[in-house]
Amino acid sequence: MIEVKNLVKKYGNHLAVDHLDFTVEKGQIYGFLGPNGAGKSTTMNIITGYISATEGQVLINGHDIFEEPENAKKAIGYLPEIPPLYMDMTSKEYLQFAAELKKIPKDQRKRMINEVMELTKIDSVKDRLIKNLSKGYRQRVGLAQAILGYPEIIILDEPTVGLDPKQIIEIRDLIKELSKKHTVILSSHILSEVSALCDHVLIISNGKLVASDTPEHLGELMAGSNTVVLTVKGSTEKIKSVLNSINEIRDYQITKSMESGSKDIKIQMKSQTDIREKLFFTFAEQRCPILMMDSTKISLEDVFLELTSKEQINEEIPENLQEEVEVKVEEEEQNESNL
Amino acid sequence: MKAIYKKEIRSYFTSVLGYLFIGFLLFVIGLYFTAYNLNYAYPEIGYTLSSSIFVFLIIVPILTMKIMADERRLKTDQMLLTAPVRNTDIIIGKYLALLTVFLLPVILCCIYPVILSSFGSVNFKMSYTAILGFFLFGALALAIGMFISSLTESQVIAAVLSFALLLIMFMMNGITSFISGTAFASLVGLILILIIIGYILYHMTQNYILAAGVSAIGAIICIILYVIDSSKFAGKLTNILSVLNVTEKFSNFAGGTFDVTGVVYYLSLTSLFLFLTIQAIQKRRWS
């Protein structure tokens, strides 16, 4: 469907995209994930033919975007980071223009525009000038433009930025709906969005592809140890002595909880074994009630942070951090008792 | 192309720009028409038109300043350039929309000779030749304005630059008469022009070897030719600069003579600027 081969984009001496290679298969949702300035938008702009690459090749259904731009662009609907809207048009006029620009046959235009407006729920604002629309509606008009003509590939650059939570959920549902018939590529720096939506995640950092897999696989890759999060009532010393008595624990962090007199504990286990029961009974013996317990797998967030900041992190830092946290907790405890 | 043409026409007539352009042009032509043709009973419209061409200096930048610059500023060019449309079609669609807006007052001007004919005898052939020249001249000015607009993101810069370039072209008649016609002056002038070409090349390609090479080789050839036979250089600079003398060609039309070289001149310069506009769009993708 889309083949990106050895893609390089240089701005002067700055390497925005650094030898990127990947393929996009039909009928899946792909997520570009990366911190700001990682080269997500640049890559998307190259794939859609807006800017050219310094080196490398992009094939859309076998058509080179640089050699046969018209054939390649026909298969793509694109919503850039800033929706390309003409402020002095009404939503409907704008979609009519987009339909004509995309060379949709005249007899299908009206039907398609109505369908797309219904899908993106902009029916109610179709006769309002775009400059008078709110950000959420503008985003939806932009999205309507991208899916107009039902291109095989829909590319969305940060489609949910600046929307309120309800709108985000609506747009996500729409994207899921679209993925039934289309291949969707979206970029985001919001991890929960990518892990909730995408079948396949491409993590980009400094223009390089650092990981490409399903969200589950990426999680497992990093796993090896499971994490349990607890809220326990009791003093730090007591909790520490309990935790030290359990062999399966590799590492733990204690922080002050929102509830007074209790602590939040994050425990990392050595193996995959489930120690929740053991935790329950040991804490119960020491008369430290467990107020909350949750077992979490390594989230995509951890993977993301690990992969995009590999250079800065070494093994010493987490331990130091942990000590700092403990010191802080103790100080706070003292303050509390002083009060 | 049709979609872009329709969109542009719409935007000119939903905003004040189109009306401002047409209204101001008709106002100035009407003023001179009243003064020369009606008050002094002068039967030739060409005289009126050649007096009113200065108005292009003001209204062409107003009409063209946002045509490309605004698309870029508002990022709407992302939609145009990622749509399955050729860049050439985008530019031509936009240019045709400009021409259409300009054509409306020109068509209204075609009524003037008819009005005049009711007061006495009018040479229609001469009158309409003058109007054709006026149209060709305006078409060139619009192409120049559009090219300048494609170079920048700012409407203001586009307007000021278009105004400056048009002003230089308008004054070329006066400028060329000031320049000394001696061979040495021509040589210096030619080398200056080569340096400017080199600078433009550098700006467009970011390749200083190419830019410096073109300038240096051109300058060396000029100097060698000058050493061999300096008499050939006399008056050369004025000849070259007169290419930019857009008003001189128009005065032929205004006088009523149908000048084929003038038609070719205007059409080729117009196409050159359209070509440059397309190149400017292409170039932006590469930088």
Side-chain angles (χ1 to χ4, degrees):
Chain A
M1 189 119 251
I2 300 180
E3 283 178 71
V4 174
K5 292 178 189 164
N6 198 28
L7 203 67
V8 178
K9 178 73 184 174
K10 274 185 192 163
Y11 288 113
N13 287 326
H14 174 65
L15 208 56
V17 176
D18 189 0
H19 299 278
L20 217 55
D21 268 293
F22 61 87
T23 27
V24 169
E25 303 296 336
K26 204 173 173 164
Q28 285 193 313
I29 307 182
Y30 282 76
F32 270 176
L33 194 58
N36 289 323
K40 300 183 301 257
S41 294
T42 312
T43 311
M44 286 188 155
N45 279 336
I46 295 172
I47 294 175
T48 53
Y50 177 58
I51 53 174
S52 64
T54 315
E55 267 177 57
Q57 200 181 24
V58 176
L59 294 176
I60 314 284
N61 284 337
H63 299 289
D64 190 311
I65 189 80
F66 310 121
E67 308 282 327
E68 314 166 72
E70 274 170 88
N71 282 328
K73 284 172 185 173
K74 250 180 212 165
I76 299 179
Y78 182 35
L79 171 65
E81 206 170 351
I82 301 162
L85 304 172
Y86 291 100
M87 296 298 163
D88 55 352
M89 288 186 185
T90 66
S91 319
K92 201 176 173 182
E93 282 167 347
Y94 174 72
L95 291 178
Q96 276 163 350
F97 166 63
E100 216 171 317
L101 195 66
K102 290 184 171 192
K103 295 175 180 159
I104 297 169
K106 217 170 193 169
D107 49 322
Q108 295 174 26
R109 265 182 224 159
K110 208 172 175 186
R111 179 181 58 82
M112 272 196 189
I113 290 172
N114 284 332
E115 279 175 15
V116 163
M117 285 199 297
E118 211 168 292
L119 264 178
T120 51
K121 298 193 179 109
I122 50 172
D123 255 327
S124 55
V125 296
K126 66 180 177 192
D127 292 322
R128 275 168 60 185
L129 287 179
I130 291 176
K131 66 177 161 202
N132 296 332
L133 295 182
S134 68
K135 174 122 176 65
Y137 272 115
R138 284 186 194 180
Q139 192 77 22
R140 285 193 230 181
V141 175
L143 190 62
Q145 169 271 127
I147 58 182
L148 194 63
Y150 305 118
E152 293 163 69
I153 304 160
I154 294 171
I155 298 183
L156 311 168
D157 198 351
E158 308 207 340
T160 55
V161 158
L163 302 184
D164 67 41
K166 187 167 168 270
Q167 290 168 332
I168 290 178
I169 291 167
E170 280 173 8
I171 295 262
R172 278 185 197 168
D173 288 343
L174 178 59
I175 292 171
K176 267 187 195 153
E177 189 66 36
L178 286 172
S179 71
K180 286 174 189 161
K181 289 180 197 156
H182 309 263
T183 308
V184 181
I185 303 177
L186 59 92
S187 79
S188 180
H189 54 249
I190 304 162
L191 295 139
S192 58
E193 183 164 290
V194 172
S195 51
L197 269 177
C198 301
D199 304 311
H200 200 101
V201 182
L202 302 159
I203 299 181
I204 297 176
S205 175
N206 292 326
K208 280 186 199 131
L209 192 66
V210 289
S212 163
D213 216 326
T214 59
E216 294 82 29
H217 272 147
L218 282 174
E220 278 171 31
L221 256 182
M222 297 296 299
S225 62
N226 274 2
T227 310
V228 178
V229 180
L230 294 167
T231 305
V232 177
K233 209 167 185 174
S235 70
T236 314
E237 288 78 35
K238 216 170 181 184
I239 292 172
K240 265 189 182 172
S241 68
V242 173
L243 291 173
N244 287 334
S245 69
I246 301 175
N247 294 328
E248 283 90 343
I249 292 175
R250 191 184 67 172
D251 203 0
Y252 60 85
Q253 286 168 17
I254 303 174
T255 46
K256 197 178 172 317
S257 172
M258 301 275 278
E259 287 177 74
S260 63
S262 54
K263 301 284 168 298
D264 281 343
I265 312 164
K266 197 175 175 188
I267 300 171
Q268 285 182 321
M269 285 167 296
K270 276 177 185 158
S271 57
Q272 295 278 23
T273 48
D274 195 347
I275 58 160
R276 282 177 294 175
E277 277 182 37
K278 196 170 182 183
L279 280 172
F280 172 81
F281 287 118
T282 358
F283 274 112
E285 272 169 28
Q286 299 295 322
R287 302 202 62 77
C288 291
I290 293 176
L291 303 178
M292 191 274 293
M293 174 150 69
D294 195 8
S295 135
T296 53
K297 282 198 173 154
I298 284 253
S299 66
L300 200 53
E301 193 152 357
D302 300 315
V303 182
F304 175 73
L305 284 175
E306 176 78 22
L307 287 172
T308 54
S309 54
K310 249 178 191 165
E311 294 86 46
Q312 291 103 306
I313 290 180
N314 54 45
E315 294 209 336
E316 308 262 314
I317 291 172
E319 278 171 28
N320 292 343
L321 274 180
Q322 190 190 326
E323 276 166 26
E324 265 171 41
V325 169
E326 279 168 19
V327 169
K328 231 182 211 170
V329 170
E330 274 160 22
E331 274 172 9
E332 274 165 19
E333 230 162 53
Q334 276 171 359
N335 289 343
E336 239 171 57
S337 53
N338 288 345
L339 283 169
Chain B
M1 189 161 91
K2 210 174 140 205
I4 290 167
Y5 173 77
K6 272 159 77 179
K7 186 217 105 193
E8 288 295 321
I9 291 282
R10 243 191 58 84
S11 84
Y12 284 129
F13 290 109
T14 49
S15 71
V16 75
L17 275 181
Y19 297 106
L20 200 69
F21 178 88
I22 294 171
F24 201 63
L25 188 59
L26 283 177
F27 172 71
V28 172
I29 295 174
L31 215 60
Y32 281 105
F33 179 72
T34 318
Y36 294 147
N37 299 114
L38 297 182
N39 274 356
Y40 293 104
Y42 191 71
E44 277 168 36
I45 188 92
Y47 196 61
T48 303
L49 293 178
S50 58
S51 302
S52 39
I53 52 166
F54 80 90
V55 78
F56 284 137
L57 275 181
I58 303 155
I59 60 172
V60 165
I62 288 176
L63 194 68
T64 59
M65 63 183 179
K66 67 181 261 183
I67 189 161
M68 305 302 299
D70 225 30
E71 299 263 6
R72 196 168 160 194
R73 189 174 62 85
L74 297 170
K75 305 262 181 213
T76 46
D77 62 339
Q78 271 184 308
M79 179 185 183
L80 301 183
L81 295 177
T82 57
V85 193
R86 286 185 302 151
N87 288 357
T88 317
D89 289 342
I90 297 172
I91 302 299
I92 290 177
K94 280 179 174 275
Y95 183 66
L96 287 181
L98 283 176
L99 272 192
T100 310
V101 176
F102 177 49
L103 202 60
L104 289 175
V106 170
I107 287 171
L108 278 174
C109 280
C110 292
I111 304 169
Y112 290 166
V114 181
I115 296 171
L116 285 179
S117 71
S118 63
F119 301 110
S121 70
V122 170
N123 188 333
F124 281 107
K125 214 172 149 192
M126 279 169 74
S127 302
Y128 287 116
T129 306
I131 292 176
L132 173 72
F134 187 71
F135 177 69
L136 289 173
F137 183 78
L140 171 60
L142 289 171
I144 292 171
M146 186 161 86
F147 168 62
I148 301 280
S149 180
S150 73
L151 296 179
T152 166
E153 241 177 78
S154 150
Q155 289 186 41
V156 180
I157 293 175
V160 172
L161 275 183
S162 310
F163 176 78
L165 192 61
L166 288 172
L167 189 68
I168 290 172
M169 286 182 152
F170 269 73
M171 297 197 308
M172 207 41 95
N173 227 346
I175 293 172
T176 45
S177 65
F178 271 119
I179 292 167
S180 111
T182 65
F184 184 69
S186 294
L187 178 70
V188 173
L190 281 176
I191 290 172
L192 269 178
I193 291 174
L194 282 167
I195 291 171
I196 293 171
I197 290 174
Y199 176 75
I200 294 169
L201 268 179
Y202 174 70
H203 189 75
M204 303 226 23
T205 59
Q206 301 292 325
N207 184 341
Y208 64 91
I209 298 171
L210 175 76
V214 167
S215 301
I217 291 169
I220 290 166
I221 291 172
C222 283
I223 291 169
I224 291 171
L225 287 176
Y226 179 78
V227 172
I228 294 169
D229 185 5
S230 62
S231 63
K232 284 259 173 66
F233 271 80
K236 268 280 177 302
L237 185 62
T238 10
N239 287 349
I240 288 171
L241 284 181
S242 67
V243 169
L244 291 174
N245 194 347
V246 283
T247 46
E248 193 193 301
K249 295 280 191 303
F250 174 65
S251 57
N252 289 340
F253 285 99
T257 41
F258 183 80
D259 181 1
V260 181
T261 57
V263 175
V264 173
Y265 171 82
Y266 281 126
L267 289 184
S268 48
L269 260 191
T270 304
S271 352
L272 173 72
F273 276 103
L274 289 182
F275 173 75
L276 286 177
T277 313
I278 296 166
Q279 293 310 307
I281 299 286
Q282 294 278 50
K283 181 226 151 194
R284 222 159 58 201
R285 296 177 58 208
W286 292 95
S287 58

